Amino acid sequence: MNDSENNENNENNESNESNESNEADESGTRVPLHERRRPLWHWQRVARSRPRLGVIMAVVGAVVGALLGGAGVAWRAEAGPFADDRACWGAFGQDDVAALFDGKRDIETSEVPISTDRIGTEGPSGECRLTSPRGRRITVETHRLDSGFGGAGDRWADEFLSARLTPLGDGLLGMASDTRAWLAVPDGCIGRPSGLDVNGGPTVIDMETGWTVYDDEVDTEARDALARAVVKLVNHYMADAGCTGEIADPVRRLSGPPRSLDEKKDAMCDIKGLRLPAAFNHGARGGTVLTQGDGPVRTCDRDVLFGHPQLRLMTIEDPRLAMLYDGLSRDGAKARVSAGEQDGRGFVRDDMGLFQAECQTGQVTFLVRAENGDHPGDIRTILPRYVAAEADRIGCGPLRVTLPADG
């Protein structure tokens, strides 16, 4: 490179540096070279002055504070902000919540919104919790029943079909006690599951108080409060779904609460001709509780200890609920039970006997379940007699089941 080219390059560099050194921001302040080489969005270039930096930090602080505040609400509500005077997806006002907690109004609420999976095969699901600072809690769930909820020892069937619950009546698929309540959304509102979904059952909303009580006496005021609440939840759900109509207050049509049954030896669970096996004499154990009133389920719980009946005899008359045991009736045991030419299927094993019959009203489930398998001979003795007696009672008889050979 010759001397003239060097001089020309030096002059150009000096000119560029002179222009860069004279570059200023809109306020006339000279901008240092190291800042001019930063991207336009760099925070230090945007905030070259203390006043501007102060404004930006104030704005950032406000935005961050709002985000953190929103996150705090979402953490408490598990679903983002909600109206202070409404709870459980907007179904309950403050008075409704107070009615469930003996008039107390300092109840905290949290919820997961009701949502449906993308293809709708599992039905809607959501949860709401009401918590008292004194330790009491009520949990509300929206979900669809399927055959996975049935079976021996299953929590939902064990608790929500307990003999302590009273049917809500008036053709409603639901029940209530002083610790549990549930109600199915009527078919006319959202329709039944697709016929292709063999495991699908009704959409239900249920409530539980966090513990299971098996005292002979049921607190009717607490039961009525839960019954009203679960109906209000279903009404709100139907309104949100665009359904017309409303379920009336169920309390006035509720039957009396279940009480301890005075059994006779030849009428176990108040069924004439069903003799009481010696192994299931009460002795010093708990009593017998039988469902009161007409409804979808008739349950007899005997010798209840630690929240579980030692022996349960149950007839599920409503086919929408009988499907709980559909899968179990097919796969429960190898020892199959038949009923001659009448359609039906079932099984018998050491701790349980089950038969599902196709009756005029649809599928009906008959169940005999023991807490353990210590008395298999008694299960085999009780099941056919129980099925025959209950089938006659509900107009599904005569129904005579045949058991496989013992062993």
Side-chain angles (χ1 to χ4, degrees), residues 214-256:
Y214 266 97
D215 294 337
D216 292 342
E217 299 294 330
V218 174
D219 184 338
T220 55
E221 290 187 6
R223 180 199 67 175
D224 294 352
L226 286 176
R228 286 193 177 100
V230 77
V231 166
K232 182 160 293 190
L233 286 162
V234 171
N235 280 335
H236 185 79
Y237 180 89
M238 292 193 298
D240 279 352
C243 305
T244 59
E246 186 174 277
I247 301 173
D249 186 336
V251 170
R252 63 178 180 274
R253 59 178 177 263
L254 288 177
S255 301

Side-chain angles (χ1 to χ4, degrees), residues 39-51:
L40 293 176
W41 44 262
H42 195 283
W43 74 271
Q44 287 182 334
R45 189 168 188 182
V46 173
R48 297 192 187 101
S49 64
R50 290 185 179 179

Side-chain angles (χ1 to χ4, degrees), residues 48-98:
R48 297 192 187 101
S49 64
R50 290 185 179 179
R52 185 184 298 174
L53 179 59
V55 172
I56 292 174
M57 294 307 295
V59 172
V60 171
V63 172
V64 171
L67 291 175
L68 290 177
V73 172
W75 176 82
R76 291 194 300 273
E78 301 179 37
F82 61 93
D84 291 338
D85 59 344
R86 306 301 298 180
C88 294
W89 314 295
F92 291 155
Q94 291 183 354
D95 291 342
D96 300 316
V97 175

